Amino acid sequence: MINTSSNDRVHEWEVLLKPGVCWFIWDDDGTLVFSSPCERITSILTENMPVESIFPPDIAFLIHEMYRDGSELLLGAGKKIRLTIPGTDLVWPGSISRLSNGRFSLIWAEKEDVKPETEPESGSILDHIRSERAVRKANEKLNYFNAIVRHDITNLIMGIVGYIDIIDEIVDDEEVRLLLRKSRDLGERIRRVAELTRTYQDLGIRPPGFIEAKSSITKILERYEFSEMVTSDVNVTGLFIYVDRMFDAIIYEIVRNSLQYGGKGVHISFSFRKDPEGLVLIIEDSGPGIEPDLKERIFSRNYADRRGYGLYLAAEILDITGISIRETGTFGEGARFEMIFPPDTYRFGN
């Protein structure tokens, strides 16, 4: 414990979450390091502080996850983050920006203490609110546990692949090497499935809501892995849609598929139309398209000819708010995905 004022005593790691202080963080041979030019803070703590030696293990782990997620940002880009202690209402909001390869700036905003809502007198409503809070906390804990398991699986797979590489170097039998290659491929498939859980780990944590379609789509198209790889037209100005907060992951999966099969330079367009079903959000690309007998199978969990579960999970996420998705393109002319939004799940505004 350290003194920060005449009346307060806080743990050292809480000083590292102090609002308004800008930290630089980077990876030093697998260990994240905090550093700050702020003399008042660095006079209390050492200038370079490994995350693992200061933070409790659970918080250190969550900061590692934020660091890995931040690696997807373009140089100079930033995004908002929220450090949430699993199973509690204590939240630290902030923002992380990518300064260079492996180096980031991190600044925290005011700490959020989420106070319970005023409880109504009606017993049935009160029970509903209590159940909702319990489910939310359970989801947060499952989310945290999922991150730990994913981390452990990834590390174990790396160890197994390392041993396979060693064996491959010391054997000459081609049949054995063939088995080793198949084992390595299986290990890579397990790693991809584990990484997929990172993309969808926030599913169900926050309630659905209206989002601006254009900003969500543009954010995905501007990601570094799509930069200069795809061209696009986004004609959905003023459209707001009621979706789960994981909608970005759906757009990401569709764009990733277009690039994978259409190749560098593939063109993707986003538009909408109204029809008796409601509103149809249309995503078209200039790739090879999808064969007629695969149009429904690509959304199935049992579809084998793929590298992940992206489109299956996309359909499941959309279904949370009553939205359906279908593929209506012409094979040889490009893929065309249509999302059908019922009348109460979209609106227009500024």
Side-chain angles (χ1 to χ4, degrees), residues 257-277:
N257 272 275
S258 293
L259 178 59
Q260 178 181 348
Y261 294 104
K264 182 178 180 180
V266 65
H267 184 78
I268 309 173
S269 65
F270 297 81
S271 60
F272 65 86
R273 73 166 190 269
K274 291 183 180 180
D275 66 16
E277 296 176 280

Side-chain angles (χ1 to χ4, degrees), residues 11 25 44 95 104 107 120 154 161-162 183 196 202 209 218 222-224 227 238 253 277-279 282 286 323 329:
H11 293 89
I25 60 174
I44 297 175
S95 61
F104 299 82
I107 187 168
T154 302
V161 172
S183 299
L196 185 68
D202 292 330
T218 302
E222 290 177 348
R223 287 173 62 119
Y224 76 93
S227 178
E253 183 62 29
E277 296 176 280
L279 179 135
I282 304 166
S286 60
I323 302 160

Side-chain angles (χ1 to χ4, degrees), residues 13-15 18 63 68 79 88 95 118 158 164 172 189 218 226 240 246 283-284 287 290 295 297 305 326 334 338 342:
W13 62 267
E14 291 180 336
V15 176
K18 189 174 180 64
I63 291 178
R68 279 189 285 268
K79 70 174 183 178
T88 73
S95 61
T118 302
M158 289 176 63
I164 290 174
D172 295 324
R189 288 173 63 183
T218 302
F226 303 138
F240 288 78
M246 292 297 296
I283 307 173
E284 299 175 280
I290 297 172
K295 289 182 180 294
R297 289 171 56 196
D305 188 20
R326 62 197 178 198
E338 296 186 345

